[in-house]
Amino acid sequence: MNGRPGIDVPDHRGRTGLDRAGRDLRGNPDVVVREVELTSQGWHVLRRTTFDHRRRDGRWTTEQRETYDRGNGAVVLPYDTERGRVLLTRQFRFPAYVNGHPDGMLIEAAAGLLDDDDPATAIRRESAEELGVELGPLTHVLDAFMSPGSVTERLHFYAAPYRPADRTGPGGGLAEDGEDIEVLELPFAEALAMTRDGRIADGKTVLLLQWAALHGPFAPPPVR
């Protein structure tokens, strides 16, 4: 009998047991997972999970949710306080384009999936690939679920200083992965203004720029 790729036998990425995610969850006594169905598996994985849920009034209901599992990721805002600048990227994002963005070209902080790395290692790798920069000491800003209604990803947010001499490569991403990324070095004040007028519409980037202005490297000195 032939096995089921991704379940009984390895799929194209060598994965098995993709239908097991969530079956052993015990942290919430008001949720009991009944069935996990693998509905799609490309580079990432889509599952339909059936579970019993005890509501606040004590009633139990049976519910289904689809979850998109693309792994966890990391994002970073490189900053140069001496020159008042930050490093960002611009690239085409089809999901934004098909959902009303004028041309799909989004300005973003450099980010990527962790794959098998820890978050700090992953974001240094992505910074070298996308921005061509070797980051200074990393500051961990926060971790957040960016779209918890359907996407499992937890995103790890960082900031790090850089100097012109730290830009040791061209950036632009990996051609073999189909990446075509433009590197933008912008005055911080301009980048922050772009979050207000809609030129920067990416959530993770808005969050990091606002953090930098309120609590980070470009925050005003405390009033004494």
Side-chain angles (χ1 to χ4, degrees):
M1 183 176 66
N2 293 330
R4 297 165 295 175
I7 299 177
D8 307 302
V9 298
D11 68 358
H12 65 289
R13 294 185 65 187
R15 302 171 296 190
T16 57
L18 294 178
D19 62 330
R20 304 301 304 173
R23 292 182 184 271
D24 59 351
L25 291 173
R26 300 290 186 270
N28 187 341
D30 296 328
V31 177
V32 179
V33 174
R34 296 299 183 190
E35 183 181 2
V36 181
E37 179 187 358
L38 190 64
T39 60
S40 178
Q41 58 181 107
W43 193 252
H44 306 308
V45 178
L46 183 66
R47 299 179 180 90
R48 181 184 297 114
T49 300
T50 303
F51 58 91
D52 296 337
H53 177 210
R54 180 162 52 195
R55 302 173 66 86
R56 289 182 298 163
D57 62 6
R59 292 184 301 114
W60 283 92
T61 61
T62 299
E63 304 176 16
Q64 282 189 334
R65 293 291 185 274
E66 288 189 344
T67 56
Y68 185 57
D69 184 354
R70 61 191 304 269
N72 294 325
V75 58
V76 69
L77 179 69
Y79 60 86
D80 181 340
T81 51
E82 184 174 339
R83 297 186 303 131
R85 293 181 175 267
V86 293
L87 279 179
L88 300 173
T89 69
R90 178 161 49 205
Q91 59 185 306
F92 178 69
R93 297 296 201 184
F94 182 77
Y97 187 40
V98 77
N99 195 30
H101 190 278
D103 60 7
M105 300 297 295
L106 290 193
I107 296 175
E108 306 176 37
L113 296 179
L114 304 187
D115 295 325
D116 294 325
D117 290 328
D118 63 85
T121 300
I123 202 55
R124 289 190 182 278
R125 179 195 71 223
E126 292 295 329
S127 296
E129 293 175 359
E130 294 190 5
L131 300 170
V133 66
E134 300 295 328
L135 297 176
L138 289 171
T139 296
H140 177 244
V141 177
L142 54 84
D143 300 332
F145 295 99
M146 299 301 290
S147 188
S150 58
V151 181
T152 62
E153 181 183 24
R154 187 200 308 263
L155 194 58
H156 304 271
F157 288 75
Y158 292 93
Y162 79 96
R163 298 170 300 174
D166 297 324
R167 299 187 64 181
T168 57
L174 298 179
E176 57 266 33
D177 289 344
E179 294 179 326
D180 181 21
I181 299 171
E182 180 184 0
V183 182
L184 302 178
E185 186 175 51
L186 298 175
F188 175 74
E190 179 182 353
L192 189 62
M194 293 167 77
T195 68
R196 295 191 289 265
D197 63 23
R199 286 177 290 165
I200 292 180
D202 172 67
K204 62 184 181 294
T205 308
V206 172
L207 190 155
L208 276 173
L209 289 169
Q210 291 183 347
W211 168 84
L214 294 172
H215 307 292
F218 297 101
V223 178
R224 295 179 180 271

